[in-house]
Amino acid sequence: MSDKRRAELAIRKRVREEVLVRDAYKCVAKHLVPEVECAGPLDVDEITPRGRGGDWLDPDNCQTLC
């Protein structure tokens, strides 16, 4: 693993925790679509994917989903 990738993973870990705390450890899909029944483990996902120019290290581009 490159030094750059290792540094990004350390930052991503902090961003992930920040997003989970911000979203109160709850899936935001339930707020967006009330009919959704959330189940399963929580994960932090990008709103705009990296492949489309999104930044996985920007908490404002991340959300908690199940």
Side-chain angles (χ1 to χ4, degrees):
M1 181 182 306
S2 71
D3 290 338
K4 179 182 176 185
R5 181 69 169 170
R6 189 173 288 112
E8 283 183 344
L9 290 177
I11 295 167
R12 176 63 178 176
K13 185 176 180 180
R14 289 192 301 272
V15 168
R16 186 179 188 283
E17 186 61 31
E18 180 181 335
V19 172
L20 287 168
V21 168
R22 180 197 67 203
D23 293 344
Y25 286 86
K26 294 182 181 176
C27 177
V28 298
K30 186 73 174 169
H31 301 289
L32 301 173
V33 184
E35 305 83 42
V36 169
E37 289 299 322
C38 294
L42 295 176
D43 193 20
V44 174
D45 193 33
E46 297 85 37
I47 297 168
T48 303
R50 287 179 280 170
R52 294 186 180 203
D55 185 359
W56 72 319
L57 303 177
D58 178 6
D60 293 332
N61 186 47
C62 296
Q63 62 187 349
T64 303
L65 297 174
C66 59

